[in-house]
Amino acid sequence: MTRKPLIAGNWKMNGSLGESRQLVETLRHGVSAGASATMLLCPPYVYLPAVRDWLQGSPIALGAQDIADKPGTGAYTGEVSGQMLRDVGCTYVIVGHSERRALYGETDAVVAAKFKAAQAAGLLPILCVGETLEQREAGETRKVVERQVAAVVDSAGVAAFAKAIVAYEPVWAIGTGRTATPEQAQEVHAFIRGMVAARDATIAAGLSILYGGSVKGANTRSLLAMADIDGGLVGGASLAAAEFLEIFRAAA
Ligand code: PGA
């Protein structure tokens, strides 16, 4: 498998500038240039320039948690463009996180527009998909994930997935301490890869698919041992340096 493991930390709306600095200082000492996995940090927008500076000379990558759905510049009060994210050192951006979908009304169409805006600016989008507990219990997991992935594949084209990452995050596992079993996650990861493979087998084979939802040091190894799980998108555990480094070492 040529897909290099990616361990991404999504800080969400957490931490202060001082706490962020301490976290980054500890992490950068724990990640060496030759590591066989990539670590990515996604702090809140306003901390991006500071985190970029603290990461000088480190192989740790920088990303944002969200992006405007409009390319270019314009009268979009409160929004941040892909080019601005590039300016402050981002190479990745999360799009379609379930919190954006559920709490801020982001539709599949908005998520697809953000995905395309990210790529237009030269950023690697991390497209998040996943079902709620209700949907899982109703046997709709595949249907929901298929709809969420297809919305972007149909809009951006399958070729766009040569420069994108997918994250499967079952909503019921996010922040709940209830991780999907490696088998449950693998089943959906294989389904997503199969969907992409039906359109382009080469792109599907190279596509990194991360798992997210209560990832911690103790469960990383068993999750990443699965054939189609290529890394983790980590929320809560990315705020504790020791725990996040444990996850990273389990992947590297
Ligand atoms: P969690 O969050 O690791 O705290 O479950 C994951 C995420 O929302 O990306």
Side-chain angles (χ1 to χ4, degrees):
M1 185 165 54
T2 56
R3 303 184 297 264
K4 187 177 180 183
L6 175 66
I7 298 297
N10 173 12
W11 295 3
K12 310 191 181 184
M13 195 174 78
N14 288 300
S16 63
L17 196 59
E19 286 164 346
S20 301
R21 178 166 198 153
Q22 259 194 320
L23 179 58
V24 173
E25 282 303 315
T26 311
L27 293 175
R28 53 168 301 166
H29 287 110
V31 180
S32 61
S36 60
T38 302
M39 180 184 282
L40 166 67
L41 304 182
C42 300
Y45 280 144
V46 291
Y47 297 157
L48 285 167
V51 174
R52 173 202 52 196
D53 292 347
W54 301 330
L55 286 176
Q56 280 299 321
S58 158
I60 300 175
L62 187 65
Q65 298 173 19
D66 193 16
I67 180 174
D69 61 341
K70 312 278 191 294
T73 57
Y76 306 111
T77 302
E79 292 297 311
V80 175
S81 75
Q83 191 52 53
M84 292 167 185
L85 295 177
R86 286 291 302 271
D87 278 349
V88 296
C90 290
T91 48
Y92 295 81
V93 61
I94 298 168
V95 299
H97 190 280
S98 64
E99 287 151 18
R100 301 295 319 168
R101 294 178 190 260
L103 305 175
Y104 300 96
E106 285 190 12
T107 61
D108 286 332
V110 168
V111 174
K114 291 187 171 192
F115 180 99
K116 290 197 282 187
Q119 288 194 329
L123 293 160
L124 277 169
I126 301 175
L127 169 66
C128 300
V129 299
E131 81 289 359
T132 63
L133 184 58
E134 204 178 21
Q135 289 164 334
R136 173 162 282 261
E137 286 174 346
E140 294 173 349
T141 297
R142 286 182 178 224
K143 192 178 98 186
V144 169
V145 168
E146 181 167 31
R147 191 202 75 225
Q148 291 172 334
V149 174
V152 180
V153 175
D154 293 346
S155 172
V158 71
F161 283 74
K163 288 191 171 157
I165 289 157
V166 175
Y168 169 58
E169 298 203 300
V171 178
W172 47 272
I174 296 177
T176 59
R178 191 180 157 190
T179 320
T181 65
E183 293 73 22
Q184 280 175 321
Q186 166 60 25
E187 195 215 324
V188 180
H189 282 234
F191 174 70
I192 293 169
R193 197 179 307 284
M195 262 189 83
V196 177
R199 291 162 164 97
D200 190 312
T202 307
I203 285 175
L207 178 66
S208 279
I209 307 177
L210 314 181
Y211 167 79
S214 300
V215 173
K216 37 187 186 277
N219 59 28
T220 302
R221 224 173 284 274
S222 58
L223 286 161
L224 268 68
M226 306 309 283
D228 292 293
I229 302 183
D230 306 312
L233 180 52
V234 187
S238 75
L239 298 168
E243 185 75 20
F244 195 50
L245 281 170
E246 192 184 331
I247 293 169
F248 180 75
R249 288 186 187 121

